[in-house]
Amino acid sequence: TWPLVLGGVLFAIVVGAFIATVAGYMAGLIGASNSPVSGIGILAIVSGALLLAVFALPALGVGATDALVAFALFTVAIVFSIATISNDNLQDLKTGQLVGASPWRQQVALMVGVLAGAAVIGPVLDLLNQAYGFPGDPNRAAIAAEPLGAPQAALISTLARGVLNAELDWSLIAIGAGIGGALIFFDEILGALKQMRIPPLAVGIGMYLPMDATEPVIVGAIVGWF
């Protein structure tokens, strides 16, 4: 138990620090509502589940797969919280700078918001679970027959289970990594030639987010350029 707990805490701190940097940077560029938190979470769950598959699963055996999937989801939930809080933090500080707010007062308000959210979100999710249930849950005590749709949560769970059961299609991840590497290389060449850049993160967001989320950003960028 203790190696898993210590490993999970270390994973949340190290990966959370990296993710907070990326999420905060994206919040500064395109705002918190369009920041690709789910995509960041996909990277976190794949890396976390891979570490468990290499170090924990051989020692615990195949029978511990479900427990390790749950452990990975709980750990990545903490990383998700870090990402969303950094999103909100940078968004508020960015806006506060424009209106002349006091940064330390904003930080106090953010702390209050985190505590209030922690106190409210849990009971609300429990009520929704009792009324509808969620995909993957036995839905035993729910009143409604159909569970609520949670595509991102189902995807995260499927990835964790796929890694720990050795069923994940790594070729798709390799293709995505290859596209990202090629974009970084091409962007650096354009920068050296003093040409218009193609930011790899922007391309990734365009591939990941649906059109109804990216269209207002594109229109706003074009209007702002003119």
Side-chain angles (χ1 to χ4, degrees):
T1 300
W2 282 108
L4 280 175
V5 171
L6 294 176
V9 171
L10 182 63
F11 178 84
I13 292 174
V14 174
V15 177
F18 170 75
I19 283 178
T21 304
V22 175
Y25 175 70
M26 295 309 297
L29 284 180
I30 60 173
S33 59
N34 285 326
S35 185
V37 175
S38 298
I40 293 172
I42 289 172
L43 294 177
I45 193 63
V46 170
S47 57
L50 190 60
L51 289 173
L52 289 174
V54 172
F55 295 105
L57 193 60
L60 297 176
V62 180
T65 299
D66 288 341
L68 290 177
V69 169
F71 179 80
L73 294 176
F74 275 110
T75 305
V76 172
I78 297 173
V79 175
F80 264 114
S81 299
I82 294 172
T84 54
I85 290 171
S86 64
N87 259 347
D88 185 57
N89 200 337
L90 268 294
Q91 179 81 357
D92 287 358
L93 290 175
K94 177 179 70 174
T95 308
Q97 183 184 26
L98 297 175
V99 299
S102 300
W104 75 268
R105 293 180 183 273
Q106 289 185 273
Q107 293 288 351
V108 171
L110 285 166
M111 293 178 191
V112 173
V114 169
L115 294 175
V120 171
I121 291 174
V124 170
L125 287 176
D126 185 56
L127 288 173
L128 290 173
N129 188 44
Q130 292 180 24
Y132 299 98
F134 295 98
D137 183 75
N139 206 26
R140 291 183 296 266
I143 300 172
E146 293 295 326
L148 289 173
Q152 292 163 320
L155 173 61
I156 298 295
S157 177
T158 301
L159 286 171
R161 199 170 296 278
V163 172
L164 289 167
N165 287 326
E167 298 173 350
L168 188 64
D169 187 356
W170 288 98
S171 62
L172 294 176
I173 296 179
I175 292 172
I179 293 174
L183 284 170
I184 292 173
F185 179 73
F186 189 51
D187 181 57
E188 291 298 326
I189 292 178
L190 291 176
L193 297 176
K194 308 296 183 183
Q195 301 295 321
M196 183 176 9
R197 307 289 292 268
I198 302 179
L201 275 176
V203 177
I205 290 173
M207 294 170 62
Y208 177 74
L209 292 178
M211 182 60 71
D212 57 355
T214 57
E215 185 178 4
V217 179
I218 295 172
V219 174
I222 295 173
V223 171
W225 184 78
F226 279 108

